[in-house]
Amino acid sequence: MTSLNASTTPTTPTTPNGPAPMAASLTLSATEITTPRLRLRKAHDADRAGLIELQTDPEVRLHLGGPRPRSAVERYFDAMGVAHVTDKPGTFVVADRTTDDLVGVLLIHRRPVDLPGHVTEQGGELELTYVLRRAAWGTGLAFEAATAALRAVACELPSQPVLIVTQTANTRSLDLATRLGFRRVSTFVAYEAEQTLAVADLHAFLA
């Protein structure tokens, strides 16, 4: 699983000395994507238990800063509601296409320019992040969801770099990045752990 701790869409304005940074450009506008086994969609109330599990499972959160207290996660959903999770464009619940049960969460956002881990001078590249429930590990669902989402972005936006950033210790996530066609380009330290930056070209995901 790649990190879900910091993936936002900056709104940096055009600078007086040149064009707006990549961070100001668009991300994925699609609100639903389907695959043979999955539906990437917006969140609804029935997803609450699965979303709480993703935030509190020690194994799921092993490379994501550790599990969060269940009481705090429940208070968050009580206050904000479940649908809030996927308000931002490019944010999806990954659901089983037959049962509609939540499998995980996937995001394609712009990597904030003030975070380390970029391949362009201006920053703000597209970044793929995802997390799946433990029961879905080893089934190929992460590959299926990521491939479909990246293909959808490639169909909408001009070709550009897309990033994956994950803890170097997270070998499962790095192996998936390699299967998707991402190239490891650098490492850096953040959140008190070494992170690996991998990059791919968006046009590579066109069918």
Side-chain angles (χ1 to χ4, degrees), residues 161-174:
V162 56
L163 310 178
I164 285 178
V165 178
T166 191
Q167 280 192 17
T168 303
N170 191 348
T171 56
R172 184 189 296 269
S173 184
L174 289 175

PDB file of all heavy atoms in Angstrom, residues 161-174:
ATOM      1  N   PRO A 161       4.354  13.104 -16.064  1.00  0.00           N
ATOM      2  CA  PRO A 161       4.805  12.116 -15.082  1.00  0.00           C
ATOM      3  C   PRO A 161       3.707  11.804 -14.064  1.00  0.00           C
ATOM      4  O   PRO A 161       2.899  12.661 -13.712  1.00  0.00           O
ATOM      5  CB  PRO A 161       5.981  12.816 -14.385  1.00  0.00           C
ATOM      6  CG  PRO A 161       6.333  13.978 -15.245  1.00  0.00           C
ATOM      7  CD  PRO A 161       5.079  14.371 -15.951  1.00  0.00           C
ATOM      8  N   VAL A 162       3.702  10.568 -13.606  1.00  0.00           N
ATOM      9  CA  VAL A 162       2.843  10.175 -12.498  1.00  0.00           C
ATOM     10  C   VAL A 162       3.725   9.435 -11.503  1.00  0.00           C
ATOM     11  O   VAL A 162       4.579   8.638 -11.896  1.00  0.00           O
ATOM     12  CB  VAL A 162       1.641   9.321 -12.976  1.00  0.00           C
ATOM     13  CG1 VAL A 162       2.096   8.093 -13.738  1.00  0.00           C
ATOM     14  CG2 VAL A 162       0.750   8.930 -11.803  1.00  0.00           C
ATOM     15  N   LEU A 163       3.542   9.723 -10.218  1.00  0.00           N
ATOM     16  CA  LEU A 163       4.435   9.239  -9.171  1.00  0.00           C
ATOM     17  C   LEU A 163       3.768   8.209  -8.274  1.00  0.00           C
ATOM     18  O   LEU A 163       2.544   8.208  -8.100  1.00  0.00           O
ATOM     19  CB  LEU A 163       4.888  10.406  -8.273  1.00  0.00           C
ATOM     20  CG  LEU A 163       5.443  11.656  -8.937  1.00  0.00           C
ATOM     21  CD1 LEU A 163       5.778  12.686  -7.879  1.00  0.00           C
ATOM     22  CD2 LEU A 163       6.657  11.311  -9.789  1.00  0.00           C
ATOM     23  N   ILE A 164       4.595   7.352  -7.691  1.00  0.00           N
ATOM     24  CA  ILE A 164       4.247   6.567  -6.509  1.00  0.00           C
ATOM     25  C   ILE A 164       5.336   6.833  -5.483  1.00  0.00           C
ATOM     26  O   ILE A 164       6.525   6.755  -5.802  1.00  0.00           O
ATOM     27  CB  ILE A 164       4.142   5.065  -6.811  1.00  0.00           C
ATOM     28  CG1 ILE A 164       2.852   4.751  -7.565  1.00  0.00           C
ATOM     29  CG2 ILE A 164       4.216   4.244  -5.533  1.00  0.00           C
ATOM     30  CD1 ILE A 164       2.687   3.278  -7.945  1.00  0.00           C
ATOM     31  N   VAL A 165       4.942   7.167  -4.257  1.00  0.00           N
ATOM     32  CA  VAL A 165       5.880   7.354  -3.150  1.00  0.00           C
ATOM     33  C   VAL A 165       5.454   6.424  -2.029  1.00  0.00           C
ATOM     34  O   VAL A 165       4.301   6.471  -1.581  1.00  0.00           O
ATOM     35  CB  VAL A 165       5.899   8.813  -2.658  1.00  0.00           C
ATOM     36  CG1 VAL A 165       6.854   8.956  -1.475  1.00  0.00           C
ATOM     37  CG2 VAL A 165       6.299   9.765  -3.782  1.00  0.00           C
ATOM     38  N   THR A 166       6.370   5.585  -1.572  1.00  0.00           N
ATOM     39  CA  THR A 166       6.038   4.642  -0.513  1.00  0.00           C
ATOM     40  C   THR A 166       7.280   4.352   0.318  1.00  0.00           C
ATOM     41  O   THR A 166       8.404   4.544  -0.135  1.00  0.00           O
ATOM     42  CB  THR A 166       5.473   3.332  -1.103  1.00  0.00           C
ATOM     43  OG1 THR A 166       4.924   2.530  -0.058  1.00  0.00           O
ATOM     44  CG2 THR A 166       6.534   2.552  -1.848  1.00  0.00           C
ATOM     45  N   GLN A 167       7.072   3.899   1.533  1.00  0.00           N
ATOM     46  CA  GLN A 167       8.210   3.504   2.354  1.00  0.00           C
ATOM     47  C   GLN A 167       9.011   2.416   1.655  1.00  0.00           C
ATOM     48  O   GLN A 167       8.448   1.456   1.113  1.00  0.00           O
ATOM     49  CB  GLN A 167       7.747   2.994   3.719  1.00  0.00           C
ATOM     50  CG  GLN A 167       7.410   4.070   4.719  1.00  0.00           C
ATOM     51  CD  GLN A 167       7.254   3.510   6.125  1.00  0.00           C
ATOM     52  OE1 GLN A 167       7.694   2.396   6.421  1.00  0.00           O
ATOM     53  NE2 GLN A 167       6.632   4.280   7.000  1.00  0.00           N
ATOM     54  N   THR A 168      10.324   2.554   1.685  1.00  0.00           N
ATOM     55  CA  THR A 168      11.193   1.551   1.073  1.00  0.00           C
ATOM     56  C   THR A 168      10.971   0.178   1.701  1.00  0.00           C
ATOM     57  O   THR A 168      11.113  -0.858   1.029  1.00  0.00           O
ATOM     58  CB  THR A 168      12.659   1.978   1.216  1.00  0.00           C
ATOM     59  OG1 THR A 168      12.821   3.289   0.623  1.00  0.00           O
ATOM     60  CG2 THR A 168      13.596   1.006   0.531  1.00  0.00           C
ATOM     61  N   ALA A 169      10.605   0.150   2.969  1.00  0.00           N
ATOM     62  CA  ALA A 169      10.342  -1.120   3.648  1.00  0.00           C
ATOM     63  C   ALA A 169       9.080  -1.807   3.147  1.00  0.00           C
ATOM     64  O   ALA A 169       8.878  -3.004   3.405  1.00  0.00           O
ATOM     65  CB  ALA A 169      10.235  -0.890   5.153  1.00  0.00           C
ATOM     66  N   ASN A 170       8.248  -1.085   2.428  1.00  0.00           N
ATOM     67  CA  ASN A 170       6.986  -1.642   1.955  1.00  0.00           C
ATOM     68  C   ASN A 170       7.226  -2.362   0.621  1.00  0.00           C
ATOM     69  O   ASN A 170       6.877  -1.880  -0.451  1.00  0.00           O
ATOM     70  CB  ASN A 170       5.949  -0.527   1.789  1.00  0.00           C
ATOM     71  CG  ASN A 170       4.546  -1.074   1.561  1.00  0.00           C
ATOM     72  OD1 ASN A 170       4.351  -2.256   1.313  1.00  0.00           O
ATOM     73  ND2 ASN A 170       3.571  -0.184   1.639  1.00  0.00           N
ATOM     74  N   THR A 171       7.831  -3.528   0.701  1.00  0.00           N
ATOM     75  CA  THR A 171       8.224  -4.245  -0.509  1.00  0.00           C
ATOM     76  C   THR A 171       7.023  -4.672  -1.347  1.00  0.00           C
ATOM     77  O   THR A 171       7.111  -4.739  -2.570  1.00  0.00           O
ATOM     78  CB  THR A 171       9.068  -5.473  -0.149  1.00  0.00           C
ATOM     79  OG1 THR A 171       8.337  -6.304   0.768  1.00  0.00           O
ATOM     80  CG2 THR A 171      10.384  -5.047   0.494  1.00  0.00           C
ATOM     81  N   ARG A 172       5.905  -4.945  -0.702  1.00  0.00           N
ATOM     82  CA  ARG A 172       4.699  -5.335  -1.447  1.00  0.00           C
ATOM     83  C   ARG A 172       4.277  -4.203  -2.388  1.00  0.00           C
ATOM     84  O   ARG A 172       3.960  -4.426  -3.557  1.00  0.00           O
ATOM     85  CB  ARG A 172       3.568  -5.677  -0.466  1.00  0.00           C
ATOM     86  CG  ARG A 172       2.299  -6.183  -1.136  1.00  0.00           C
ATOM     87  CD  ARG A 172       1.177  -6.267  -0.111  1.00  0.00           C
ATOM     88  NE  ARG A 172       1.465  -7.225   0.928  1.00  0.00           N
ATOM     89  CZ  ARG A 172       1.114  -8.506   0.881  1.00  0.00           C
ATOM     90  NH1 ARG A 172       0.466  -8.973  -0.171  1.00  0.00           N
ATOM     91  NH2 ARG A 172       1.396  -9.314   1.884  1.00  0.00           N
ATOM     92  N   SER A 173       4.277  -2.972  -1.879  1.00  0.00           N
ATOM     93  CA  SER A 173       3.881  -1.834  -2.691  1.00  0.00           C
ATOM     94  C   SER A 173       4.896  -1.551  -3.791  1.00  0.00           C
ATOM     95  O   SER A 173       4.533  -1.215  -4.928  1.00  0.00           O
ATOM     96  CB  SER A 173       3.715  -0.594  -1.809  1.00  0.00           C
ATOM     97  OG  SER A 173       3.244   0.496  -2.565  1.00  0.00           O
ATOM     98  N   LEU A 174       6.184  -1.683  -3.477  1.00  0.00           N
ATOM     99  CA  LEU A 174       7.217  -1.455  -4.486  1.00  0.00           C
ATOM    100  C   LEU A 174       7.149  -2.500  -5.596  1.00  0.00           C
ATOM    101  O   LEU A 174       7.360  -2.176  -6.775  1.00  0.00           O
ATOM    102  CB  LEU A 174       8.593  -1.437  -3.837  1.00  0.00           C
ATOM    103  CG  LEU A 174       8.898  -0.219  -2.964  1.00  0.00           C
ATOM    104  CD1 LEU A 174      10.245  -0.385  -2.275  1.00  0.00           C
ATOM    105  CD2 LEU A 174       8.896   1.063  -3.800  1.00  0.00           C
TER     106      LEU A 174
END
